[in-house]
């Protein structure tokens, strides 16, 4: 089937790739011969897949993730695997075991994360499109920081089969590209029901973007322009929203009171799920073979201490603690209540408005090492995690610059209205370009 080969020998000065496929096979189809990069937590048959972790160095999956299989069927050339924060845990791509990725717009800054390699590969023109994954913002954040487009689809719209799980109730594979059309074209290929993932819905995406926001009501939550959001970034995004008004949209101020708890709910949920998902890296099922002469506990400890980076170990410990007997009710159960509140807030808002818009990130891309304190890094996810908690679609589209760096406009929509989110982003993009 894959008879032709694409030669791919980029000058990867940003460390965007962990693996490069110099002769990438491709076939005929909608994406025939188009170079697509795939984040390194998405399984690719015969191509090393590490999640940017030492513990998976040398692991070659025996099968393709469903999204990758669909890409191949559509004719795309999988040209390489992109750098990321280890297992998707981070907002800068500095948590990779294989060195940080640099932002092509300013190499003194991070590309965002955790899909920073995918964003840098697209932004620097090495590839036309890429797959990322978004658990709490990992597609939208790097899209915003690198000046490209990225969509987190509705939960259940794209199969997670073959995605190496970090926090499965929150994450989705999604498209990244330079234009809304590219993102839409990739979405056409990867969305739909998969019998290997019971959380998928039979909702294929067959849409072509239409630049129309007339008659649409857009909610502007005060929390997205409040404390912690750089006023210059807020200003750029407000101008962009003004543009949507000129195009015929109506905007109304609104509020998401549960955002007070969103970050806490997110970080408790994702660390709990991670502690369970990462238990399989034990030197028996996955990871370098454990020393069988040692006791099981000793061997397990050794493999995991050597294989996981600091942030991953921190999150496994946090999650294990929050799920432990006596604390479960205090943390995990509470986080689920808070998550329901976030969902309820969106449900209420979406009975009044069609879309919700604001900045993707509270600031421009950080300087390398600027967020060495993990808590300050977690705080920067505040504007992206609500969409994951609620399972709704959210896109980031470039909307100008602040201090010479790209700023992203985030547009969120009702569940399974990814088409509407894409149309609004397309209308904006067409109006400014
Ligand atoms: N920055 C968030 C985290 O570290 C989101 C990561 C992601 O979406 N994979 O969990």
């Amino acid at each position: 089937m894959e008879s032709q080969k694409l030669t791919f020998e980029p000058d990867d000065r940003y460390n965007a790739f962990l693996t490069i496929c110099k002769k990438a096979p491709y076939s005929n189809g909608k994406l025939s011969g188009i170079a697509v990069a795939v984040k390194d937590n998405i399984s690719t048959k015969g191509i090393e897949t590490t999640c940017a972790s030492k513990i998976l160095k040398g692991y070659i999956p025996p099968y393709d993730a469903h999204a990758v299989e669909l890409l191949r069927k559509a004719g795309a050339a999988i040209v390489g695997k992109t750098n990321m924060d280890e297992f998707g845990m981070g907002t800068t791509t500095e948590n990779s075991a294989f060195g940080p990725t640099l932002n092509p717009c300013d190499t003194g800054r991070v590309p965002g994360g955790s899909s920073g390699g995918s964003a840098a590969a697209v932004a620097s023109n090495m590839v036309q499109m890429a797959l990322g994954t978004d658990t709490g913002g990992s597609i939208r954040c790097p899209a915003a920081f690198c000046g490209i487009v990225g969509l987190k689809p509705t939960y259940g719209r794209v199969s997670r089969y073959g995605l190496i799980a970090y926090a499965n109730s929150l994450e989705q594979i999604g498209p990244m590209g330079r234009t809304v059309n590219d993102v839409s074209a990739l979405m056409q290929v990867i969305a739909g029901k998969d019998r290997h993932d019971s959380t998928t819905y039979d909702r294929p995406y067959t849409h072509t973007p239409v630049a129309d926001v007339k008659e649409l009501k857009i909610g502007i939550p005060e929390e997205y322009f409040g404390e912690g959001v750089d006023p210059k970034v807020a200003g750029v995004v407000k101008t962009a929203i003004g543009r949507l008004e000129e195009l015929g949209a109506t905007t109304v101020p609104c509020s998401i009171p549960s955002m007070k708890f969103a970050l806490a709910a997110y970080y408790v949920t994702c660390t709990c799920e991670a502690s369970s998902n990462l238990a399989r890296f034990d030197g028996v099922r996955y990871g370098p073979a454990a020393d069988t002469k040692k006791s099981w506990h000793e061997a397990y400890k050794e493999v995991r201490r050597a294989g996981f980076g600091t942030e991953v170990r921190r999150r496994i410990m946090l999650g294990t603690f929050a799920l432990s007997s006596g604390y479960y009710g205090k943390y995990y159960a509470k986080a689920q209540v808070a998550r329901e509140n976030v969902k309820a807030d969106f449900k209420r808002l979406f009975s009044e408005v069609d879309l919700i818009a604001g900045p993707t990130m509270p600031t421009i891309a950080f300087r390398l090492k600027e967020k060495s304190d993990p808590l300050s890094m977690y705080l920067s996810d505040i504007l992206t995690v609500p969409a994951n908690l609620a399972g709704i679609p959210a896109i980031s589209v470039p909307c100008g610059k602040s201090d010479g760096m790209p700023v992203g406009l985030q547009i969120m929509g009702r569940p399974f209205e990814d088409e509407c989110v894409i149309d609004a982003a397309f209308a904006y993009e067409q109006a400014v370009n």
Side-chain angles (χ1 to χ4, degrees), residues 258 265 269 333-348 389-390:
S258 60
T269 305
K334 274 248 169 76
Q336 300 323 300
V337 173
R339 183 173 185 177
E340 286 308 315
N341 282 326
V342 174
K343 275 192 195 157
D345 270 351
F346 278 110
K347 196 161 178 212
R348 171 181 55 82
L389 290 166

Side-chain angles (χ1 to χ4, degrees), residues 39 88-91 113-114 133-139 166 266-267 270 315 381:
K39 189 177 178 181
M89 300 176 185
T91 312
S114 62
T133 65
D134 192 310
T135 313
S138 285
I139 288 177
Y166 155 26
Y266 171 77
Y267 272 96
C270 75
R315 294 198 191 193
D381 296 333

Side-chain angles (χ1 to χ4, degrees), residues 165-182:
Y166 155 26
N168 36 291
S169 83
L170 297 158
E171 62 205 359
Q172 280 288 283
I173 293 177
M176 304 172 81
R178 275 187 293 283
T179 65
V180 176
N181 263 325
D182 283 354

